[in-house]
Amino acid sequence: MSLKLLHEPENDDPILSVVNIIDIFLVIIAALLITVAQNPLLNAFSRQDVTVITDPGKPSMEMLVKKGEKIERYKSSGAIGQGEGAKAGTAYRMKDGSIVYVPEGGA
């Protein structure tokens, strides 16, 4: 009887360790699939257009724009934007929170 207790064939079965490793990989794969499904930039099945801004207002700011299957990346240069133009009018915020735009007279 003591020989049966010392030699248990269930503990020596190498298939049990392989099954445990497969179970661990299945859990890891499921976690990765959930992560990809929740990320709008990585989800290949999403038809929505998505814009993601990282570090807004900082020199390291980036903007990722996904339109359909195309993803574009824009990096901030840190410079203040400039351009040519003319004053087109004035905007006023009213007491109720609405905004009224008054265009310049003439053109």
Side-chain angles (χ1 to χ4, degrees):
M1 191 153 153
S2 64
L3 290 175
K4 285 185 180 180
L5 292 176
L6 290 176
H7 181 62
E8 295 181 11
E10 297 88 24
N11 291 339
D12 295 336
D13 193 4
I15 294 295
L16 290 177
S17 355
V18 172
V19 169
N20 287 337
I21 291 173
I22 291 172
D23 289 343
I24 291 171
F25 281 129
L26 287 175
V27 168
I28 291 172
I29 289 170
L32 288 175
L33 287 174
I34 290 171
T35 303
V36 167
Q38 290 179 345
N39 189 337
L41 288 175
L42 297 178
N43 190 353
F45 303 109
S46 175
R47 298 287 180 221
Q48 297 177 346
D49 293 342
V50 178
T51 302
V52 177
I53 299 175
T54 58
D55 295 333
K58 298 179 182 173
S60 62
M61 182 172 84
E62 287 185 347
M63 186 168 68
L64 300 170
V65 179
K66 178 185 176 223
K67 291 183 181 177
E69 295 180 6
K70 183 178 180 183
I71 297 178
E72 296 179 15
R73 173 183 240 161
Y74 302 100
K75 283 191 158 198
S76 170
S77 65
I80 295 175
Q82 296 183 32
E84 295 181 17
K87 185 175 177 182
T90 307
Y92 297 97
R93 182 181 309 274
M94 307 308 284
K95 286 183 181 180
D96 64 355
S98 63
I99 296 179
V100 176
Y101 168 72
V102 180
E104 288 285 324

